[in-house]
């Protein structure tokens, strides 16, 4: 105890955990052993010990991984387990954290499967960039499968229902047994080179892991990868996964599923075509109505400008001007007439006045005249004396006694002889 | 033996979609739109016929011992290897 570090238990256990986790071999290893002390916990996690004749190690399978287990672990069962090594700092207990577990017989296969899968994955055979899209409307489909059995019948039935337009070419192969991988590869190449297909469905119906084993063959995987025609793999039932499934361009859960995925549904397409027919009709009707309205608009605009219209407009204008002219003339005439009338009136009233004035004057003159009328004088008692020559005598001096004179009275006259003359005295 | 009929299903479908889209956009001269409409109607009728009257044809590739490859009609299940 000379200057060496003194750990706390917490530190120590943590360091142990770190040390274990830093070892790459412990990240993903396989262990062969026998299950004992198996305890499924209510939490869903499974606790057990895996042991062999010489030693034992604690193991735990968490609920998420336990769901994938395809058998029920039991004490005494020999298994191959896959997992990582670490420790639980609280207790310091070293544990195998299980990712997967397989009963021994199948386990050997399982190991090979996992190892091949990893290898091909690393080589890039599963890369999604390499996967080709399937043709939307396949014209020829090659089926690489067993010609007997339910799988091919299922596929043919579904393909006939959904997409009878495609021609199907069957490339028969063995789908299980030792000769199967080679048979499958051969049939695949046949399909690729001689079927003229634009799509390949490769698979078989359900079976045990051993039955499906041919589809984990490495050479088959490489043949699928190398295929120039897209390949859909359809092996077994939904949970079965094979290497072919990883390397194919599309994985279908079952052969029937492959038929569904590979081709469109004719019924849907009929609907789509019908729909497009309707859209076509409606679009065209709209277009025609549009054109019709356009023509209508143009027609209206045109008819607003026809020569007849133009002339009518001109006529109208002329008429308008004519009317205005007439009215103006009329007004002019009326004004002149009125002026003339008023002049006339003024004239006639003027005349009237003049006449009246003249008449009055006349009357006055007449009256004056009348007043001056000798007859009037005579009627007042005067008499007019005139000599025999008719000349009026105004001066007595012109007379001598014995001259004849005529005396005119108001009524009648008398011829007389002058008796005595009296002359007017000069003053 | 890929029939010309089947070869044009995809082409016919695409062309029909194209025509419908063009006409729906509505900026096509009237005469051209009538021509497109006729073409579209023809295509939809052809597609309809193809879909309605198609019958699945199944053959099997048979390889004889001397390497000859022959395509024969398949009678479900009888040509088991």
């Amino acid at each position: 105890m000379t200057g060496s570090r003194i750990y706390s238990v917490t530190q120590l256990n943590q360091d142990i955990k770190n040390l274990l986790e830093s070892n790459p071999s412990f990240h993903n290893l396989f262990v062969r052993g026998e299950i004992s002390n198996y305890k499924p916990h209510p939490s869903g996690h499974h606790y057990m010990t895996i042991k062999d004749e010489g030693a034992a190690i604690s193991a735990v399978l968490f609920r998420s991984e336990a769901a994938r287990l395809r058998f029920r672990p039991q004490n005494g069962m020999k298994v191959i387990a896959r997992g990582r090594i670490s420790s639980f700092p609280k207790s310091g207990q070293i544990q195998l954290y299980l990712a997967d577990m397989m009963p021994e017989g199948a386990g050997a296969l399982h190991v090979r499967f996992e190892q091949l899968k990893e290898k091909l994955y690393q080589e890039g055979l599963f890369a999604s960039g390499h996967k080709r899209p399937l043709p939307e409307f396949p014209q020829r489909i090659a089926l690489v499968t067993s010609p007997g059995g339910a799988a091919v019948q299922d596929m043919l039935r579904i393909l006939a229902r959904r997409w009878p337009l495609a021609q199907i070419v069957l490339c028969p192969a063995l789908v299980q047994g030792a000769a199967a991988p080679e048979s499958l590869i051969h049939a695949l190449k046949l399909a690729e080179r001689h079927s003229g297909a634009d799509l390949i469905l490769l698979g078989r119906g359900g079976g045990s892991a051993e039955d499906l084993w041919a589809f984990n063959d490495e050479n088959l995987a490489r043949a699928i990868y190398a295929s120039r025609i897209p390949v859909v793999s359809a092996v077994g039932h939904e949970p079965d996964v094979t290497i072919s499934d990883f390397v194919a361009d599309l994985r279908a859960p079952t052969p029937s599923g492959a038929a569904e995925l590979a081709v469109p549904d004719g019924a849907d397409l009929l609907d789509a075509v019908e729909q497009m027919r309707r859209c076509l009709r409606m679009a065209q009707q709209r277009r025609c109505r549009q054109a019709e309205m356009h023509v209508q608009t143009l027609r209206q605009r045109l008819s607003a400008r026809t020569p007849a219209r133009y002339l009518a407009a001109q006529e109208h204008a002329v008429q308008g001007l004519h009317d205005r002219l007439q009215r103006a003339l009329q007004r002019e005439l009326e004004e002149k007439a009125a002026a003339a009338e008023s002049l006339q009136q003024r004239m006639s009233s003027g005349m009237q006045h003049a006449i009246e004035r003249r008449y009055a004057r006349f009357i006055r003159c007449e009256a004056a005249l009348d007043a001056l009328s000798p007859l009037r004088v005579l009627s007042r008692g005067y008499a007019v004396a005139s000599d025999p020559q008719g000349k009026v005598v105004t001066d007595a001096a012109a007379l001598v006694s014995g001259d004849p004179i005529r005396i005119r009275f108001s009524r009648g006259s008398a011829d007389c002889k002058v008796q005595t003359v009296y002359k007017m005295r000069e003053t | 033996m890929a029939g010309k009929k089947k070869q044009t299903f995809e082409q016919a479908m695409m062309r029909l979609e194209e025509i419908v889209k063009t006409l729906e956009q509505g900026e096509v001269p009237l005469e051209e739109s009538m021509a497109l409409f006729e073409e579209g109607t023809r295509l939809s009728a052809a597609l309809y016929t193809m879909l309605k009257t198609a019958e699945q044809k199944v053959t099997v590739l048979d390889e004889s011992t001397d390497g000859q490859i022959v395509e024969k009609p398949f009678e479900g299940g009888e040509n088991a290897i």
Side-chain angles (χ1 to χ4, degrees), chain A residues 49-50 66 89 101 110 129 173 184 210 213 228 242 285-286 334-335 337 339 345 367 375 377 395 398 400 408 418:
Chain A
T49 308
I50 298 187
M101 203 158 53
H110 181 67
L184 285 165
E210 283 87 2
W213 192 252
R228 284 181 304 252
T242 61
Q285 275 173 359
R286 262 202 309 274
E334 279 168 8
E335 274 171 27
Q345 277 177 356
L375 295 175
V377 172
D395 194 354
V400 289
R408 177 129 183 248
V418 169

Side-chain angles (χ1 to χ4, degrees), chain A residues 137 140 147 156 159-160 163-165 167-170 172 186 194 269-270 273 276-277 279-280 284 287 291, chain B residues 6 9 17 24 28 30 33-34 37 40-41 44 48 56-61 63 69 71 74 77 80-81:
Chain A
F137 303 109
R140 272 167 84 91
L156 287 176
L159 290 169
W163 189 242
L165 276 82
Q167 200 182 321
I168 315 297
V169 182
L170 178 60
H186 184 78
H194 298 282
L269 287 174
L270 269 173
V273 169
M276 281 200 276
R277 218 199 282 220
C279 287
L280 204 62
Q284 188 57 5
R287 182 74 190 78
Chain B
K6 284 165 199 156
F9 183 91
E17 277 169 1
E24 281 184 337
V28 181
L30 189 62
S33 80
M34 301 246 61
F37 177 75
T41 307
S44 70
Y48 194 82
Q56 189 187 60
K57 194 157 160 258
V58 185
T59 58
V60 61
L61 279 187
E63 195 173 11
I69 295 164
E71 198 174 330
F74 177 66
I81 318 181

